[in-house]
Amino acid sequence: MKNFKKTTLAGEGSGPQQVLPRVLGGLALLLAGALLSGCATVANPDPRDPLESYNRGMTNFNEQVDAMVLKPVAIAYQDIAPAPVRTGVSNFFANIGDVWSFVNNVLQLRAEAAASTFMRVNVNTFMGIGGVLDIASELGIDRYKQDFGLTLGRWGVGTGPYLVLPVLGPSTVRDTFALPVDMKGNVVSYVDPVSARNTLYALRVVDTRANLLRAGSVLDSAALDKYSFTRDVFLQVRSQAGEPQNGNGADDKNANDGVLPQEPPR
């Protein structure tokens, strides 16, 4: 009887510890399946996408992860959090992103864009309660979103082939090499303690996915090749974001980090 109780208690204690390995194991199987499906060659790949067979397999893996984890969490977040709260969260992270955009505008020698971004960060940080309120947009101060991949492009580095990254999604070879620098330039990476930093990372992922729910619904219902559509939109947006700006900031405000168009304002 004592042995039975010990076994039962040990089983109860190990239950939660077994959840994470099972989840990781499932993701590993999905990733392996995606890579195997990517072994099939595409007859006439797009010149911009010579890795299309691999990219399609990785896109399928990302869609499975999204369906199992990201989308349900984003829907719950949208249902629970009031619209003003979600808007404040989006504004907060956009203001953090503007800090890195300012650095890259300076590196690209875009004086007007750098000055405008510098003003945006200061106005929203001090007048907008840490960026929760987007006072700068109300004042007509334009946003010029830039990252290190676009900075490399500014100085002549080509985009290279289109590339789909695990979980992160659409990218290019150039942007993939620039990603570690962009991560170091993210203000959130310097938040201490680590628990608070990870909470902000998680909240940003959920907020980004929630903002794309409406666009995702339109994409899912459309009778088209989602992979080709996403690739073409991504490459077009990245190309436009790297062009000289005319001062109205329109291209950058619609970029949403070059993944898919943001949902319309609520």
Side-chain angles (χ1 to χ4, degrees):
M1 188 68 177
K2 292 181 179 180
N3 291 337
F4 175 77
K5 289 182 178 180
K6 289 181 180 179
T7 303
T8 303
L9 292 174
E12 290 177 354
S14 61
Q17 297 175 0
Q18 295 176 352
V19 174
L20 182 58
R22 288 176 181 175
V23 172
L24 294 178
L27 292 177
L29 288 175
L30 284 175
L31 181 58
L35 293 176
L36 288 175
S37 66
C39 292
T41 57
V42 178
N44 297 304
D46 188 300
R48 304 167 301 171
D49 188 12
L51 304 173
E52 183 173 348
S53 58
Y54 158 81
N55 287 333
R56 283 185 179 273
M58 188 55 64
T59 297
N60 182 63
F61 167 76
N62 289 342
E63 289 177 348
Q64 294 297 322
V65 173
D66 180 68
M68 292 190 303
V69 181
L70 299 180
K71 187 175 181 179
V73 173
I75 292 175
Y77 169 73
Q78 192 175 61
D79 291 340
I80 295 173
V85 173
R86 299 197 305 269
T87 300
V89 171
S90 296
N91 289 341
F92 173 77
F93 286 117
N95 188 55
I96 289 177
D98 284 341
V99 175
W100 186 232
S101 292
F102 165 73
V103 173
N104 281 280
N105 278 307
V106 171
L107 293 176
Q108 295 177 32
L109 302 183
R110 300 188 190 275
E112 180 183 350
S116 179
T117 306
F118 181 78
M119 291 179 61
R120 281 191 62 88
V121 171
N122 281 276
V123 168
N124 284 339
T125 299
F126 295 106
M127 297 178 60
I129 317 177
V132 173
L133 302 177
D134 188 2
I135 304 297
S137 292
E138 298 295 329
L139 296 177
I141 304 175
D142 296 323
R143 167 171 283 142
Y144 297 87
K145 294 175 67 175
Q146 294 291 323
D147 54 51
F148 194 66
L150 294 174
T151 297
L152 292 177
R154 165 75 166 174
W155 301 114
V157 179
T159 61
Y162 177 70
L163 183 64
V164 179
L165 302 177
V167 181
L168 298 179
S171 185
T172 63
V173 171
R174 182 191 70 194
D175 291 345
T176 300
F177 279 103
L179 189 58
V181 181
D182 285 327
M183 294 175 66
K184 290 295 292 183
N186 185 358
V187 176
V188 175
S189 65
Y190 299 97
V191 172
D192 219 16
V194 175
S195 58
R197 183 192 316 160
N198 291 337
T199 299
L200 288 174
Y201 278 138
L203 180 59
R204 184 168 192 172
V205 169
V206 174
D207 172 67
T208 300
R209 185 62 185 91
N211 287 336
L212 292 171
L213 284 174
R214 189 176 303 175
S217 298
V218 173
L219 184 60
D220 290 337
S221 62
L224 44 77
D225 181 358
K226 291 198 300 181
Y227 171 82
S228 297
F229 178 81
T230 302
R231 176 193 63 201
D232 294 344
V233 169
F234 174 81
L235 292 176
Q236 180 181 3
V237 167
R238 293 295 288 175
S239 175
Q240 291 175 347
E243 293 174 355
Q245 298 158 352
N246 56 16
N248 58 17
D251 291 340
D252 291 311
K253 284 185 284 187
N254 292 331
N256 186 43
D257 293 331
V259 180
L260 276 176
Q262 280 276 11
E263 65 172 327
R266 300 180 182 87

